[in-house]
Amino acid sequence: MGHREVAPDGLRGTSCPCNMLQDYLDIIVSKAHWYRYKNADIVDAPAEPPKFKSKAGMLSEHFAENEFSCKHCGKLKINPHLIELLEQLRYNIGGYPLYINSVYRCEIHNKNVGGVENSQHVQENAAGISCPKQLSFGEFKWYVDQLPFDGIGIYEDSNFIHVDIRDGGKNSKIYWEG
């Protein structure tokens, strides 16, 4: 069926397939691109999988300690598995930098920013990541969904995605929009 063909008597109802298609079009296109090129050499992709080596001041090859420290007290507490998944995400998107805008929060900082009481940020299991400028938000969302994050919060208006590993990737994913 075509545009608005399912609405009764030509009315422009919400049951029209076009209404939902527009919401998913960028995801469909990014998935098609990924399947088409997943075995090809993509110019921006790293030549080999990420190596999780740390050096002074670094938590991993691409993430510095100061990116993950609490903005209030300066403490650094982060689940190493979260760092590994963020490195994997960076690799999967072609090596583009990930900009971390929220990670570990002490109780005071969490309260100051309006975080929920049992926030995964306080429990060292969460990060907020801005969408890289080289990707559409739909593409970025699709790449995030391919990894075993337990919680995925979509904040498209603010151009970032919350990811967490509350259950270590063992359970079904929890999604929400903010």
Side-chain angles (χ1 to χ4, degrees), residues 36-76:
R36 180 175 180 196
Y37 296 109
K38 70 180 184 175
N39 293 323
D41 290 332
I42 299 176
V43 173
D44 293 322
E48 57 187 50
K51 295 176 184 140
F52 305 116
K53 297 186 225 176
S54 62
K55 48 190 168 193
M58 300 293 288
L59 294 171
S60 67
E61 187 150 348
H62 299 102
F63 297 109
E65 291 175 354
N66 64 0
E67 291 179 275
F68 287 80
S69 300
C70 176
K71 305 284 189 262
H72 174 261
C73 68
K75 287 184 182 171
L76 174 63

Side-chain angles (χ1 to χ4, degrees), residues 137 141 144 152-157 160-162 175-178:
F137 194 83
K141 187 166 44 171
V144 166
I152 299 175
I154 306 300
Y155 297 86
E156 191 165 2
D157 290 345
F160 83 93
I161 295 179
H162 164 101
Y175 296 92
W176 67 92
E177 291 189 17

Side-chain angles (χ1 to χ4, degrees), residues 43-118:
V43 173
D44 293 322
E48 57 187 50
K51 295 176 184 140
F52 305 116
K53 297 186 225 176
S54 62
K55 48 190 168 193
M58 300 293 288
L59 294 171
S60 67
E61 187 150 348
H62 299 102
F63 297 109
E65 291 175 354
N66 64 0
E67 291 179 275
F68 287 80
S69 300
C70 176
K71 305 284 189 262
H72 174 261
C73 68
K75 287 184 182 171
L76 174 63
K77 295 183 178 181
I78 197 72
N79 187 320
H81 183 56
L82 179 62
I83 300 294
E84 289 175 3
L85 287 176
L86 293 173
E87 281 285 356
Q88 187 63 53
L89 177 61
R90 189 179 194 280
Y91 173 78
N92 290 354
I93 65 171
Y96 298 126
L98 291 177
Y99 298 99
I100 309 298
N101 56 33
S102 179
V103 283
Y104 172 70
R105 300 177 191 151
C106 68
E107 294 281 348
I108 295 170
H109 183 55
N110 191 57
K111 186 176 181 180
N112 290 345
V113 298
V116 296
E117 189 174 322
N118 272 335

